[in-house]
Amino acid sequence: MESQAQSVVPSRQLRNDSCGALHQLRTVSVPRVSETDVAVVIVSWNTRDILRGCLRSVFEQTQRVSFQVFVIDNNSQDSSADMVRAEFPDVTLISNAENRGFAAACNQGMRLASARYVLLLNPDTVVLDDAISNCVRYADLHLDVGVVGCQVLEAEDRITPTGFSFPSPFNLFLALSGLSRAFPHSRLFGRPEFSWWDRRSERDVDVVTGMFMLVRREAIAQVGLMDEAYFVYSEEADWCYRFAQAGWRRVFTPSARIVHLDGGAKSTKQASKKMFVQLQKSAMIYHRKNLGLASWWLLKLIYIASNFVRMVAWFVLSVVKRDNGSWHKSAAAKAALVFHFTGSEPK
């Protein structure tokens, strides 16, 4: 399997049934760089129809750079892999026998890639106006930039906030308490998401959002691949933290644009309660790894308090309004409390 992974062959389907050598975080096959400009890596899990639209946009809207495309399918049950195989013969398909999570799947694609840049791209996105070429050109002109993010639209006239501060207990408290929303123009209270910034100007950021993340190959070679301890969420924050420690800039540019369908709901609503708990689990991993035990405990206390309030408040609303949506939110908060006290996650 390892020898097969060293050559990139269009239309090849690779299948990974075990962890093996592909889970070694810093085993990065990067010395052999081709003349290809960018390798597009897309991780899919039950996203067949929106994945089709994403792939079409990549091929139709990428005009001024050479590229290769990898789709890593995490054991989808909706024939996503069959669709890619039938309709996109130039895509290299990796079909996993299990859902290995976002970070591990991205690493599979990056190990096969041989281009000057790697682009991590969500399947629930649509590329606009040669966005990939624009980002490659930007990175070529700024050699100290390791990661480039672009402007993301929820709708034609609404920009999604992307590009954030590094996670911290204080930033999480500001977000969960509502202070960041109550005072969006405050440089103090709005710091988690830079809420005073309209995303219409270029800016250095701590974290480039993983839905569209162009990464320089030399930067990957220096810091290693994504940490596979993260199943989903916080992996790009951890990666950007490592890039920052190594001296690479992370930059947002509005010169490139994509559409993020339903603000990401199409890819995460499949397992909302589980994803709610996973979000908190990943944040806990980040804090323990990068900020230490004291930050980990403080974050845990903040989450416990927040989840308790959410559980009670949403339950009361579900009774008063007879609203199933409120009941599900209360149940998600309860599941998160169970996780923090027992370590048990929802199935």
Side-chain angles (χ1 to χ4, degrees), residues 69-107:
V69 182
F70 300 88
V71 170
I72 301 86
D73 185 76
N74 268 333
N75 194 30
S76 295
Q77 302 302 305
D78 67 347
S79 302
S80 290
D82 292 337
M83 181 277 295
V84 173
R85 192 182 303 110
E87 299 182 25
F88 298 93
D90 291 330
V91 170
T92 299
L93 172 67
I94 304 173
S95 183
N96 287 329
E98 61 182 1
N99 187 348
R100 295 182 57 182
F102 182 74
C106 284
N107 287 349

Side-chain angles (χ1 to χ4, degrees), residues 73-286:
D73 185 76
N74 268 333
N75 194 30
S76 295
Q77 302 302 305
D78 67 347
S79 302
S80 290
D82 292 337
M83 181 277 295
V84 173
R85 192 182 303 110
E87 299 182 25
F88 298 93
D90 291 330
V91 170
T92 299
L93 172 67
I94 304 173
S95 183
N96 287 329
E98 61 182 1
N99 187 348
R100 295 182 57 182
F102 182 74
C106 284
N107 287 349
Q108 288 178 269
M110 286 190 281
R111 285 190 180 94
L112 296 180
S114 58
R116 297 189 299 119
Y117 296 95
V118 170
L119 173 66
L120 303 187
L121 183 66
N122 273 19
D124 55 354
T125 60
V126 176
V127 176
L128 303 176
D129 306 326
D130 209 8
I132 297 174
S133 302
N134 290 341
C135 285
V136 169
R137 174 175 171 78
Y138 180 92
D140 281 344
L141 293 173
H142 301 83
L143 299 182
D144 58 342
V145 173
V147 188
V148 181
C150 73
Q151 190 179 85
V152 179
L153 305 176
E154 286 185 38
E156 185 175 344
D157 59 346
R158 188 165 67 251
I159 298 174
T160 301
T162 56
F164 306 120
S165 296
F166 284 127
S168 71
F170 182 58
N171 284 342
L172 182 75
F173 169 76
L174 291 175
L176 293 178
S177 66
L179 287 171
S180 61
R181 294 186 298 276
F183 303 99
H185 301 295
S186 167
R187 296 296 177 112
L188 174 62
F189 296 132
R191 58 182 284 173
E193 297 186 356
F194 304 125
S195 56
W196 63 87
W197 169 42
D198 63 5
R199 272 65 178 183
R200 298 182 188 275
S201 59
E202 180 183 313
R203 180 186 177 90
D204 281 55
V205 296
D206 288 340
V207 180
V208 170
T209 309
M211 73 181 78
F212 183 106
M213 193 178 196
L214 184 82
V215 188
R216 190 181 300 273
R217 177 158 291 272
E218 292 88 346
I220 298 174
Q222 184 175 358
V223 309
L225 298 176
M226 284 186 159
D227 188 341
E228 296 179 13
Y230 301 95
F231 185 81
V232 67
Y233 300 124
S234 296
E235 65 283 309
E236 79 265 52
D238 179 271
W239 211 22
C240 284
Y241 186 84
R242 288 154 54 200
F243 288 129
Q245 296 295 100
W248 292 100
R249 291 172 59 204
R250 291 85 52 223
V251 176
F252 170 98
T253 175
S255 64
R257 303 184 305 151
I258 63 170
V259 174
H260 195 207
L261 302 176
D262 281 5
K266 288 182 178 292
S267 59
T268 58
K269 68 181 180 181
Q270 302 173 66
S272 56
K273 181 163 68 173
K274 186 174 182 178
M275 290 299 100
F276 183 74
V277 174
Q278 186 63 52
L279 175 67
Q280 299 184 23
K281 178 182 179 181
S282 294
M284 299 294 291
I285 294 172
Y286 177 94

